[in-house]
Amino acid sequence: MKTFQFKSHQVKKGLIFGFGYLIVVFMLFCLVFGGINGLADAVNNFGSAKGLGILVAVVVIGPLIILLQFINPKIEIQVDKEKLSIKQPKKEDKIILLNLIDKMEINHSLVNQLQLFDKNEQLLTTIHPQNDMNVIFAIADAIAQHGGFIQKKGNKKIFGNPVETISYSRQ
């Protein structure tokens, strides 16, 4: 049995939280500086655009990045010869039998994402680590060891940069 632990990247949850945070910060600054016009005057009178950019990065963006680390859950995935189990805090454990997995795709729809499909092309689960790209390759290899998969490599361009894609399919 192999065990993998990582922080999951949840795009929708992060975007909703991030936009909410920025709206609250903007409203707070408007209250402190006396409305939008007062905020605009404070920005104009600040002096240096670079200094203002650094101040905004430290005061606004820095705490947002730290808070996003707390909202992304830590996930534990265990792979043995029969099943894949996904454990997340505050959620019921998800168990997928390895013989149900017909296809696996890495970096096809999003970068740093592993998707598992059944024989009917139905998505079983998506594994999207926050920053450790190697964990999805290790998980896919652990699953492939127990199931007779054929590996195909390819490339995809994202923002002009080539990204390696890998597909695993059953023989």
Side-chain angles (χ1 to χ4, degrees):
M1 177 184 301
K2 292 187 179 181
T3 302
F4 306 94
Q5 290 184 342
F6 57 89
K7 282 208 170 256
S8 178
H9 186 66
Q10 296 181 339
V11 177
K12 291 177 188 172
K13 190 176 180 182
L15 283 174
I16 291 169
F17 179 80
F19 282 130
Y21 172 83
L22 291 175
I23 289 169
V24 168
V25 167
F26 178 75
M27 294 170 88
L28 185 67
F29 280 151
C30 284
L31 285 174
V32 168
F33 290 106
I36 294 176
N37 289 334
L39 182 59
D41 288 339
V43 168
N44 286 334
N45 296 331
F46 191 79
S48 168
K50 289 180 184 177
L52 182 62
I54 291 171
L55 182 65
V56 167
V58 169
V59 173
V60 177
I61 307 298
L64 174 61
I65 291 171
I66 292 169
L67 289 172
L68 284 174
Q69 296 298 317
F70 291 112
I71 68 165
N72 290 325
K74 189 172 189 176
I75 293 182
E76 180 178 299
I77 294 181
Q78 293 179 339
V79 179
D80 62 21
K81 60 184 173 185
E82 296 176 4
K83 66 185 181 305
L84 167 87
S85 61
I86 302 171
K87 297 178 184 180
Q88 298 181 47
K90 300 179 185 175
K91 283 191 177 180
E92 188 175 322
D93 293 352
K94 188 174 194 177
I95 296 175
I96 300 171
L97 298 176
L98 294 184
N99 60 4
L100 292 179
I101 300 171
D102 189 57
K103 185 170 79 170
M104 299 184 287
E105 295 181 342
I106 298 175
N107 295 336
H108 278 263
S109 60
L110 287 175
V111 176
N112 198 19
Q113 184 181 60
L114 169 64
Q115 294 178 309
L116 305 176
F117 297 93
D118 66 6
K119 291 180 189 348
N120 299 325
E121 296 287 325
Q122 296 294 319
L123 182 65
L124 297 171
T125 193
T126 300
I127 300 169
H128 195 177
Q130 192 171 1
N131 53 14
D132 187 8
M133 179 70 170
N134 296 324
V135 74
I136 60 173
F137 291 115
I139 293 169
D141 287 341
I143 294 169
Q145 285 176 356
H146 300 292
F149 285 88
I150 298 172
Q151 180 184 25
K152 270 201 242 175
K153 292 185 178 185
N155 282 316
K156 178 180 173 180
K157 285 203 173 200
I158 298 178
F159 299 118
N161 297 323
V163 175
E164 182 181 34
T165 61
I166 299 175
S167 296
Y168 293 86
S169 55
R170 287 215 188 254
Q171 297 177 344

